[in-house]
Amino acid sequence: MKSRKFPIRFENFSLSVDGKSVLENITLSFVEGMNVLYGPRGSGKSSLLRSIVKLNTEIFNEISRSGSVYLFDQNVEDLDDIYVRKNALYLDTSFIDAMNQYTFDEFLKLALKRKISLENFSEKLDDLGILRMLIRGQKTPLSVFSPAEKISLLLFILEQKKPRVILMDCLLDHLDDENLEKIMDMFLKMKEERTFVISTRILQRFLYIADLLVILNNGRINYTGSPKDFVLRM
Ligand SMILES: Nc1ncnc2c1ncn2[C@@H]1O[C@H](COP(=O)(O)OP(=O)(O)OP(=O)(O)O)[C@@H](O)[C@H]1O
């Protein structure tokens, strides 16, 4: 029951990169549903999210850490990388840029690792605004998609793959209001029995959707709680 309610937990977790402290004594439980992680540039949002999927060790040469991170009540350090990647997906803006090098069918094959019949999904793809973008059919390069359309395509992939945890690192900060609203509607439909953590540098845009709000500053937690309590405290 505990893991369903708090799928991700940090206990006294600290991280240093090249001898510099990046996260300090983080104790935090993300809830099932929509978590919003707000912090200014360099506050440690990416480092925190990457700790959940063990990506910091791949990126940085010199890291040291103490404390623990738990995914579904299991210490991530004890978990197999394949299990972690299957259950928790980390997406940042570099992912959106990387999509440019693929055509629609190449990307689908790569992401889903199986062939799907588009006819079965044409209604869904139409709803997501993707169908009309396929100007060269399945061979359409994703470079013609806008960031919002790429995110819609990612949502389609997420619906097929069903990872239980989705970590979106400042991915939605660059969307305009209209596209953000459309995409947030889709997220809210998908959040049942899933855990989203959306990191952002623009708090106001995401306050209304948060089940839990976490504010990070200089590698430390400044606030954890409901957005409503946060607003009332201001
Ligand atoms: N490649 C790097 N090498 C060394 N230190 C780094 C590197 N990238 C980040 N850091 C350190 O980690 C700290 C936290 O960075 P992090 O990227 O986690 O913050 P962030 O809140 O995600 O920032 P942003 O909003 O700009 O993405 C930074 O202040 C920086 O000192």
Side-chain angles (χ1 to χ4, degrees):
M1 201 58 211
K2 197 168 160 196
S3 66
R4 272 183 61 83
K5 224 167 160 226
F6 299 119
I8 304 161
R9 289 187 294 119
F10 289 79
E11 274 181 16
N12 304 112
F13 183 75
S14 298
L15 175 77
S16 301
V17 176
D18 297 334
K20 181 183 171 253
S21 170
V22 171
L23 294 170
E24 261 182 70
N25 204 23
I26 304 284
T27 293
L28 164 70
S29 299
F30 284 123
V31 298
E32 208 171 73
M34 193 62 76
N35 301 269
V36 172
L37 173 64
Y38 165 73
R41 209 173 262 285
S43 54
K45 303 181 293 299
S46 306
S47 308
L48 186 104
L49 295 183
R50 288 195 300 251
S51 302
I52 303 165
V53 283
K54 303 205 279 183
L55 275 177
N56 286 320
T57 29
E58 283 185 20
I59 294 172
F60 301 125
N61 289 329
E62 276 283 319
I63 69 163
S64 69
R65 34 166 205 241
S66 60
S68 310
V69 183
Y70 297 93
L71 181 63
F72 308 123
D73 282 334
Q74 291 166 285
N75 192 322
V76 292
E77 292 311 313
D78 301 332
L79 289 175
D80 179 53
D81 285 0
I82 295 171
Y83 172 89
V84 173
R85 302 282 141 79
K86 187 160 182 267
N87 285 282
L89 197 69
Y90 171 82
L91 297 168
D92 64 7
T93 45
S94 67
F95 197 88
I96 295 288
D97 295 338
M99 286 170 81
N100 285 337
Q101 53 187 303
Y102 300 104
T103 60
F104 177 80
D105 63 345
E106 283 169 348
F107 185 71
L108 240 59
K109 213 181 291 168
L110 195 74
L112 295 175
K113 299 199 171 55
R114 66 186 158 92
K115 235 182 147 36
I116 60 160
S117 157
L118 278 195
E119 278 160 31
N120 300 338
F121 293 100
S122 56
E123 202 177 320
K124 183 87 223 160
L125 290 168
D126 198 20
D127 281 354
L128 290 168
I130 294 170
L131 215 50
R132 68 183 168 80
M133 289 308 296
L134 299 180
I135 45 173
R136 284 168 55 192
Q138 297 201 44
K139 299 277 175 242
T140 304
L142 295 185
S143 52
V144 305
F145 280 41
S146 70
E149 285 150 0
K150 286 184 195 145
I151 292 171
S152 293
L153 179 58
L154 282 177
L155 286 181
F156 175 72
I157 303 281
L158 293 177
E159 281 198 336
Q160 301 304 310
K161 285 178 80 99
K162 302 195 185 333
R164 292 148 81 192
V165 168
I166 298 161
L167 311 167
M168 294 220 155
D169 194 1
C170 290
L171 202 60
L172 309 175
D173 279 5
H174 304 291
L175 295 180
D176 60 34
D177 286 347
E178 193 188 331
N179 280 317
L180 181 67
E181 203 175 311
K182 247 185 354 205
I183 280 165
M184 287 327 299
D185 276 353
M186 296 179 208
F187 277 167
L188 292 172
K189 282 184 203 141
M190 285 171 71
K191 77 169 188 174
E192 200 90 336
E193 296 192 3
R194 277 191 216 173
T195 302
F196 282 89
V197 185
I198 293 180
S199 82
T200 180
R201 292 183 214 117
I202 318 165
L203 178 60
Q204 291 82 351
R205 295 185 92 189
F206 298 93
L207 264 184
Y208 76 104
I209 50 135
D211 295 311
L212 181 79
L213 171 66
V214 176
I215 298 183
L216 204 58
N217 209 346
N218 265 331
R220 294 174 191 213
I221 293 196
N222 260 7
Y223 177 83
T224 318
S226 76
K228 190 171 153 210
D229 289 346
F230 175 74
V231 172
L232 290 174
R233 259 175 34 157
M234 289 200 311

